[in-house]
Amino acid sequence: MRKSVSWIIVLFALLFVGASAWFTRRLSMQFAQVEKQRMEIWAEATRQLVLADENTDITLYSSIIEANTTIPVYMTDADYHVILTRNVQEPKINIEEFYARKIARLRNEQTPIEVRVSPQVTQYIFYEESNLLRQLRWFPWVQMLVVLSFMALIVTYIITSYRNEQNRVWVGLSKETAHQLGTPISSLNGWLELLKTKYPDDELLPDIATDVNRLQLVAERFSRIGSSPTLMPTDMRKIVEESVTYMRTRVSNKVEIELTIDEHPAEAYTASVDAPLMEWVTENLIKNAVDAMNGRGWIGLHLTASGNNIILDVTDTGRGIERKRYRQVFRPGYTTKTRGWGLGLSLCKRIVEQYHRGKIFVHKSVVSKGTTFRVILKQK
């Protein structure tokens, strides 16, 4: 809906500017013709004034000449040397050179009005557009700039409103999910305590407790969306290692997960992060890799430090991504699966870039061979 409104605004603006430009061009052409006619009358008045004797009433001719207060006029002799000007702002230096350039340009642009003073004497009149006509020609461009600026503001407002609405939906959905998970998690904790009382030596209880704790962590993660993150100096090696350890026991044995951490001092891997949220990012990237490989293949995580950055690469041997879709995969709702909402990578982008001021992007990908996602965080 918002895209349709944006396109309607763009179309309306283009039609408005196009119609205005056409009308203004037509008006300026008519105005230019009027100025030409005025100059022809002015030239004839000048000729009559030059030919007048002492008995001729020159009042009308003088009035016509004096009435021109807007159009720059240049009168030259037969050799195109300026002998008279009107409404011309003359420079203080290099006057002859100034007039020579002016007349040379005007000779290329127009046919001068010939004033034959006598059979032996011919003069020429050149003229330039008035300021009003020049402003009229520029008006459509100024109008276009104003309309485009106004249109840009409207489109920006629509996009911003849409993003704000998306944010509210994200936050509302996350808070509601955390709230809905709260009750069954509390019940599970109660049942778990009861089982521990009745079957204290059962070897499955620790695994059940681990998964219940994981549910509590998931609920906590959802509750943090929309809230200010709790950023603490944290060793990213620990976050990545714990995520890999957890995911290894929860993916198919046909998926191999390999973690490589380069040798650097501990402080090189320390970043100000919200640990539960960054664990979520790592787990989502691993899950995304598993889905891309249809549950069979190799996933490599490589953690290193470079300059002031901590870099995490997550590589899979899955289906790959076309270059034109590198940014599209992070949009909410984008998914290649028949099931799912397509929120995993979008959540990763929100957590990394909005909450941690980092970067996440498709580093490289080859269709049918695999993809590498890269996360970059600033060291503390």
mmCIF file with all atom_site columns, all heavy atoms in Angstrom, residues 308-323:
data_model
loop_
_atom_site.group_PDB
_atom_site.id
_atom_site.type_symbol
_atom_site.label_atom_id
_atom_site.label_alt_id
_atom_site.label_comp_id
_atom_site.label_asym_id
_atom_site.label_entity_id
_atom_site.label_seq_id
_atom_site.pdbx_PDB_ins_code
_atom_site.Cartn_x
_atom_site.Cartn_y
_atom_site.Cartn_z
_atom_site.occupancy
_atom_site.B_iso_or_equiv
_atom_site.pdbx_formal_charge
_atom_site.auth_seq_id
_atom_site.auth_comp_id
_atom_site.auth_asym_id
_atom_site.auth_atom_id
_atom_site.pdbx_PDB_model_num
ATOM 1   N N   . ASN A 1 308 ? 40.791 -2.894  15.083 1.00 0.00 ? 308 ASN A N   1
ATOM 2   C CA  . ASN A 1 308 ? 39.901 -2.692  16.231 1.00 0.00 ? 308 ASN A CA  1
ATOM 3   C C   . ASN A 1 308 ? 38.623 -3.505  16.116 1.00 0.00 ? 308 ASN A C   1
ATOM 4   O O   . ASN A 1 308 ? 37.651 -3.237  16.830 1.00 0.00 ? 308 ASN A O   1
ATOM 5   C CB  . ASN A 1 308 ? 39.557 -1.203  16.370 1.00 0.00 ? 308 ASN A CB  1
ATOM 6   C CG  . ASN A 1 308 ? 40.775 -0.362  16.685 1.00 0.00 ? 308 ASN A CG  1
ATOM 7   O OD1 . ASN A 1 308 ? 41.649 -0.787  17.430 1.00 0.00 ? 308 ASN A OD1 1
ATOM 8   N ND2 . ASN A 1 308 ? 40.833 0.835   16.113 1.00 0.00 ? 308 ASN A ND2 1
ATOM 9   N N   . ASN A 1 309 ? 38.601 -4.474  15.213 1.00 0.00 ? 309 ASN A N   1
ATOM 10  C CA  . ASN A 1 309 ? 37.387 -5.233  14.948 1.00 0.00 ? 309 ASN A CA  1
ATOM 11  C C   . ASN A 1 309 ? 37.507 -6.691  15.372 1.00 0.00 ? 309 ASN A C   1
ATOM 12  O O   . ASN A 1 309 ? 38.588 -7.280  15.334 1.00 0.00 ? 309 ASN A O   1
ATOM 13  C CB  . ASN A 1 309 ? 37.047 -5.194  13.449 1.00 0.00 ? 309 ASN A CB  1
ATOM 14  C CG  . ASN A 1 309 ? 36.710 -3.792  12.977 1.00 0.00 ? 309 ASN A CG  1
ATOM 15  O OD1 . ASN A 1 309 ? 36.104 -3.014  13.698 1.00 0.00 ? 309 ASN A OD1 1
ATOM 16  N ND2 . ASN A 1 309 ? 37.108 -3.473  11.760 1.00 0.00 ? 309 ASN A ND2 1
ATOM 17  N N   . ILE A 1 310 ? 36.368 -7.243  15.770 1.00 0.00 ? 310 ILE A N   1
ATOM 18  C CA  . ILE A 1 310 ? 36.229 -8.682  15.997 1.00 0.00 ? 310 ILE A CA  1
ATOM 19  C C   . ILE A 1 310 ? 35.374 -9.204  14.846 1.00 0.00 ? 310 ILE A C   1
ATOM 20  O O   . ILE A 1 310 ? 34.272 -8.695  14.603 1.00 0.00 ? 310 ILE A O   1
ATOM 21  C CB  . ILE A 1 310 ? 35.553 -8.978  17.345 1.00 0.00 ? 310 ILE A CB  1
ATOM 22  C CG1 . ILE A 1 310 ? 36.381 -8.381  18.491 1.00 0.00 ? 310 ILE A CG1 1
ATOM 23  C CG2 . ILE A 1 310 ? 35.372 -10.482 17.537 1.00 0.00 ? 310 ILE A CG2 1
ATOM 24  C CD1 . ILE A 1 310 ? 35.668 -8.444  19.832 1.00 0.00 ? 310 ILE A CD1 1
ATOM 25  N N   . ILE A 1 311 ? 35.873 -10.208 14.143 1.00 0.00 ? 311 ILE A N   1
ATOM 26  C CA  . ILE A 1 311 ? 35.208 -10.687 12.933 1.00 0.00 ? 311 ILE A CA  1
ATOM 27  C C   . ILE A 1 311 ? 34.817 -12.144 13.110 1.00 0.00 ? 311 ILE A C   1
ATOM 28  O O   . ILE A 1 311 ? 35.651 -12.998 13.462 1.00 0.00 ? 311 ILE A O   1
ATOM 29  C CB  . ILE A 1 311 ? 36.118 -10.544 11.703 1.00 0.00 ? 311 ILE A CB  1
ATOM 30  C CG1 . ILE A 1 311 ? 36.524 -9.076  11.515 1.00 0.00 ? 311 ILE A CG1 1
ATOM 31  C CG2 . ILE A 1 311 ? 35.427 -11.069 10.455 1.00 0.00 ? 311 ILE A CG2 1
ATOM 32  C CD1 . ILE A 1 311 ? 37.571 -8.869  10.438 1.00 0.00 ? 311 ILE A CD1 1
ATOM 33  N N   . LEU A 1 312 ? 33.524 -12.415 12.876 1.00 0.00 ? 312 LEU A N   1
ATOM 34  C CA  . LEU A 1 312 ? 33.012 -13.781 12.906 1.00 0.00 ? 312 LEU A CA  1
ATOM 35  C C   . LEU A 1 312 ? 32.472 -14.132 11.523 1.00 0.00 ? 312 LEU A C   1
ATOM 36  O O   . LEU A 1 312 ? 31.574 -13.470 11.016 1.00 0.00 ? 312 LEU A O   1
ATOM 37  C CB  . LEU A 1 312 ? 31.902 -13.923 13.950 1.00 0.00 ? 312 LEU A CB  1
ATOM 38  C CG  . LEU A 1 312 ? 31.156 -15.266 13.942 1.00 0.00 ? 312 LEU A CG  1
ATOM 39  C CD1 . LEU A 1 312 ? 32.105 -16.426 14.302 1.00 0.00 ? 312 LEU A CD1 1
ATOM 40  C CD2 . LEU A 1 312 ? 29.949 -15.234 14.884 1.00 0.00 ? 312 LEU A CD2 1
ATOM 41  N N   . ASP A 1 313 ? 33.038 -15.178 10.916 1.00 0.00 ? 313 ASP A N   1
ATOM 42  C CA  . ASP A 1 313 ? 32.546 -15.684 9.639  1.00 0.00 ? 313 ASP A CA  1
ATOM 43  C C   . ASP A 1 313 ? 31.845 -17.017 9.877  1.00 0.00 ? 313 ASP A C   1
ATOM 44  O O   . ASP A 1 313 ? 32.373 -17.889 10.577 1.00 0.00 ? 313 ASP A O   1
ATOM 45  C CB  . ASP A 1 313 ? 33.693 -15.896 8.649  1.00 0.00 ? 313 ASP A CB  1
ATOM 46  C CG  . ASP A 1 313 ? 34.215 -14.584 8.090  1.00 0.00 ? 313 ASP A CG  1
ATOM 47  O OD1 . ASP A 1 313 ? 33.488 -13.580 8.162  1.00 0.00 ? 313 ASP A OD1 1
ATOM 48  O OD2 . ASP A 1 313 ? 35.362 -14.569 7.589  1.00 0.00 ? 313 ASP A OD2 1
ATOM 49  N N   . VAL A 1 314 ? 30.655 -17.147 9.298  1.00 0.00 ? 314 VAL A N   1
ATOM 50  C CA  . VAL A 1 314 ? 29.911 -18.404 9.372  1.00 0.00 ? 314 VAL A CA  1
ATOM 51  C C   . VAL A 1 314 ? 29.711 -18.883 7.940  1.00 0.00 ? 314 VAL A C   1
ATOM 52  O O   . VAL A 1 314 ? 28.991 -18.259 7.154  1.00 0.00 ? 314 VAL A O   1
ATOM 53  C CB  . VAL A 1 314 ? 28.553 -18.225 10.082 1.00 0.00 ? 314 VAL A CB  1
ATOM 54  C CG1 . VAL A 1 314 ? 27.809 -19.557 10.128 1.00 0.00 ? 314 VAL A CG1 1
ATOM 55  C CG2 . VAL A 1 314 ? 28.754 -17.666 11.484 1.00 0.00 ? 314 VAL A CG2 1
ATOM 56  N N   . THR A 1 315 ? 30.360 -20.006 7.610  1.00 0.00 ? 315 THR A N   1
ATOM 57  C CA  . THR A 1 315 ? 30.359 -20.521 6.237  1.00 0.00 ? 315 THR A CA  1
ATOM 58  C C   . THR A 1 315 ? 29.625 -21.857 6.183  1.00 0.00 ? 315 THR A C   1
ATOM 59  O O   . THR A 1 315 ? 29.764 -22.692 7.083  1.00 0.00 ? 315 THR A O   1
ATOM 60  C CB  . THR A 1 315 ? 31.801 -20.711 5.739  1.00 0.00 ? 315 THR A CB  1
ATOM 61  O OG1 . THR A 1 315 ? 32.504 -19.465 5.839  1.00 0.00 ? 315 THR A OG1 1
ATOM 62  C CG2 . THR A 1 315 ? 31.824 -21.194 4.295  1.00 0.00 ? 315 THR A CG2 1
ATOM 63  N N   . ASP A 1 316 ? 28.839 -22.041 5.128  1.00 0.00 ? 316 ASP A N   1
ATOM 64  C CA  . ASP A 1 316 ? 28.144 -23.319 4.937  1.00 0.00 ? 316 ASP A CA  1
ATOM 65  C C   . ASP A 1 316 ? 28.397 -23.836 3.531  1.00 0.00 ? 316 ASP A C   1
ATOM 66  O O   . ASP A 1 316 ? 28.921 -23.123 2.673  1.00 0.00 ? 316 ASP A O   1
ATOM 67  C CB  . ASP A 1 316 ? 26.636 -23.160 5.194  1.00 0.00 ? 316 ASP A CB  1
ATOM 68  C CG  . ASP A 1 316 ? 25.964 -22.211 4.210  1.00 0.00 ? 316 ASP A CG  1
ATOM 69  O OD1 . ASP A 1 316 ? 25.982 -22.490 2.996  1.00 0.00 ? 316 ASP A OD1 1
ATOM 70  O OD2 . ASP A 1 316 ? 25.426 -21.172 4.648  1.00 0.00 ? 316 ASP A OD2 1
ATOM 71  N N   . THR A 1 317 ? 28.030 -25.085 3.298  1.00 0.00 ? 317 THR A N   1
ATOM 72  C CA  . THR A 1 317 ? 28.145 -25.702 1.969  1.00 0.00 ? 317 THR A CA  1
ATOM 73  C C   . THR A 1 317 ? 26.755 -25.894 1.378  1.00 0.00 ? 317 THR A C   1
ATOM 74  O O   . THR A 1 317 ? 26.463 -26.934 0.782  1.00 0.00 ? 317 THR A O   1
ATOM 75  C CB  . THR A 1 317 ? 28.883 -27.048 2.067  1.00 0.00 ? 317 THR A CB  1
ATOM 76  O OG1 . THR A 1 317 ? 28.204 -27.885 3.028  1.00 0.00 ? 317 THR A OG1 1
ATOM 77  C CG2 . THR A 1 317 ? 30.312 -26.855 2.507  1.00 0.00 ? 317 THR A CG2 1
ATOM 78  N N   . GLY A 1 318 ? 25.920 -24.881 1.565  1.00 0.00 ? 318 GLY A N   1
ATOM 79  C CA  . GLY A 1 318 ? 24.530 -24.972 1.132  1.00 0.00 ? 318 GLY A CA  1
ATOM 80  C C   . GLY A 1 318 ? 24.287 -24.501 -0.290 1.00 0.00 ? 318 GLY A C   1
ATOM 81  O O   . GLY A 1 318 ? 25.186 -24.489 -1.130 1.00 0.00 ? 318 GLY A O   1
ATOM 82  N N   . ARG A 1 319 ? 23.049 -24.052 -0.535 1.00 0.00 ? 319 ARG A N   1
ATOM 83  C CA  . ARG A 1 319 ? 22.616 -23.731 -1.895 1.00 0.00 ? 319 ARG A CA  1
ATOM 84  C C   . ARG A 1 319 ? 23.172 -22.416 -2.426 1.00 0.00 ? 319 ARG A C   1
ATOM 85  O O   . ARG A 1 319 ? 23.140 -22.172 -3.626 1.00 0.00 ? 319 ARG A O   1
ATOM 86  C CB  . ARG A 1 319 ? 21.095 -23.709 -1.945 1.00 0.00 ? 319 ARG A CB  1
ATOM 87  C CG  . ARG A 1 319 ? 20.449 -22.612 -1.125 1.00 0.00 ? 319 ARG A CG  1
ATOM 88  C CD  . ARG A 1 319 ? 18.930 -22.638 -1.285 1.00 0.00 ? 319 ARG A CD  1
ATOM 89  N NE  . ARG A 1 319 ? 18.360 -23.807 -0.654 1.00 0.00 ? 319 ARG A NE  1
ATOM 90  C CZ  . ARG A 1 319 ? 17.915 -23.826 0.606  1.00 0.00 ? 319 ARG A CZ  1
ATOM 91  N NH1 . ARG A 1 319 ? 18.026 -22.736 1.364  1.00 0.00 ? 319 ARG A NH1 1
ATOM 92  N NH2 . ARG A 1 319 ? 17.392 -24.906 1.108  1.00 0.00 ? 319 ARG A NH2 1
ATOM 93  N N   . GLY A 1 320 ? 23.675 -21.568 -1.546 1.00 0.00 ? 320 GLY A N   1
ATOM 94  C CA  . GLY A 1 320 ? 24.230 -20.291 -2.008 1.00 0.00 ? 320 GLY A CA  1
ATOM 95  C C   . GLY A 1 320 ? 23.158 -19.243 -2.241 1.00 0.00 ? 320 GLY A C   1
ATOM 96  O O   . GLY A 1 320 ? 21.950 -19.525 -2.215 1.00 0.00 ? 320 GLY A O   1
ATOM 97  N N   . ILE A 1 321 ? 23.617 -18.036 -2.474 1.00 0.00 ? 321 ILE A N   1
ATOM 98  C CA  . ILE A 1 321 ? 22.709 -16.881 -2.649 1.00 0.00 ? 321 ILE A CA  1
ATOM 99  C C   . ILE A 1 321 ? 23.145 -16.100 -3.879 1.00 0.00 ? 321 ILE A C   1
ATOM 100 O O   . ILE A 1 321 ? 24.339 -15.827 -4.060 1.00 0.00 ? 321 ILE A O   1
ATOM 101 C CB  . ILE A 1 321 ? 22.738 -15.955 -1.413 1.00 0.00 ? 321 ILE A CB  1
ATOM 102 C CG1 . ILE A 1 321 ? 22.367 -16.725 -0.151 1.00 0.00 ? 321 ILE A CG1 1
ATOM 103 C CG2 . ILE A 1 321 ? 21.800 -14.768 -1.607 1.00 0.00 ? 321 ILE A CG2 1
ATOM 104 C CD1 . ILE A 1 321 ? 22.605 -15.941 1.134  1.00 0.00 ? 321 ILE A CD1 1
ATOM 105 N N   . GLU A 1 322 ? 22.210 -15.731 -4.712 1.00 0.00 ? 322 GLU A N   1
ATOM 106 C CA  . GLU A 1 322 ? 22.522 -14.871 -5.854 1.00 0.00 ? 322 GLU A CA  1
ATOM 107 C C   . GLU A 1 322 ? 22.928 -13.486 -5.357 1.00 0.00 ? 322 GLU A C   1
ATOM 108 O O   . GLU A 1 322 ? 22.392 -12.998 -4.363 1.00 0.00 ? 322 GLU A O   1
ATOM 109 C CB  . GLU A 1 322 ? 21.303 -14.742 -6.775 1.00 0.00 ? 322 GLU A CB  1
ATOM 110 C CG  . GLU A 1 322 ? 20.873 -16.047 -7.422 1.00 0.00 ? 322 GLU A CG  1
ATOM 111 C CD  . GLU A 1 322 ? 19.610 -15.863 -8.249 1.00 0.00 ? 322 GLU A CD  1
ATOM 112 O OE1 . GLU A 1 322 ? 18.522 -15.725 -7.648 1.00 0.00 ? 322 GLU A OE1 1
ATOM 113 O OE2 . GLU A 1 322 ? 19.714 -15.838 -9.482 1.00 0.00 ? 322 GLU A OE2 1
ATOM 114 N N   . ARG A 1 323 ? 23.859 -12.857 -6.051 1.00 0.00 ? 323 ARG A N   1
ATOM 115 C CA  . ARG A 1 323 ? 24.372 -11.557 -5.605 1.00 0.00 ? 323 ARG A CA  1
ATOM 116 C C   . ARG A 1 323 ? 23.255 -10.530 -5.463 1.00 0.00 ? 323 ARG A C   1
ATOM 117 O O   . ARG A 1 323 ? 23.274 -9.710  -4.540 1.00 0.00 ? 323 ARG A O   1
ATOM 118 C CB  . ARG A 1 323 ? 25.432 -11.050 -6.581 1.00 0.00 ? 323 ARG A CB  1
ATOM 119 C CG  . ARG A 1 323 ? 26.000 -9.690  -6.216 1.00 0.00 ? 323 ARG A CG  1
ATOM 120 C CD  . ARG A 1 323 ? 27.202 -9.349  -7.050 1.00 0.00 ? 323 ARG A CD  1
ATOM 121 N NE  . ARG A 1 323 ? 28.332 -10.204 -6.727 1.00 0.00 ? 323 ARG A NE  1
ATOM 122 C CZ  . ARG A 1 323 ? 29.175 -9.961  -5.724 1.00 0.00 ? 323 ARG A CZ  1
ATOM 123 N NH1 . ARG A 1 323 ? 29.014 -8.887  -4.953 1.00 0.00 ? 323 ARG A NH1 1
ATOM 124 N NH2 . ARG A 1 323 ? 30.180 -10.766 -5.482 1.00 0.00 ? 323 ARG A NH2 1
#
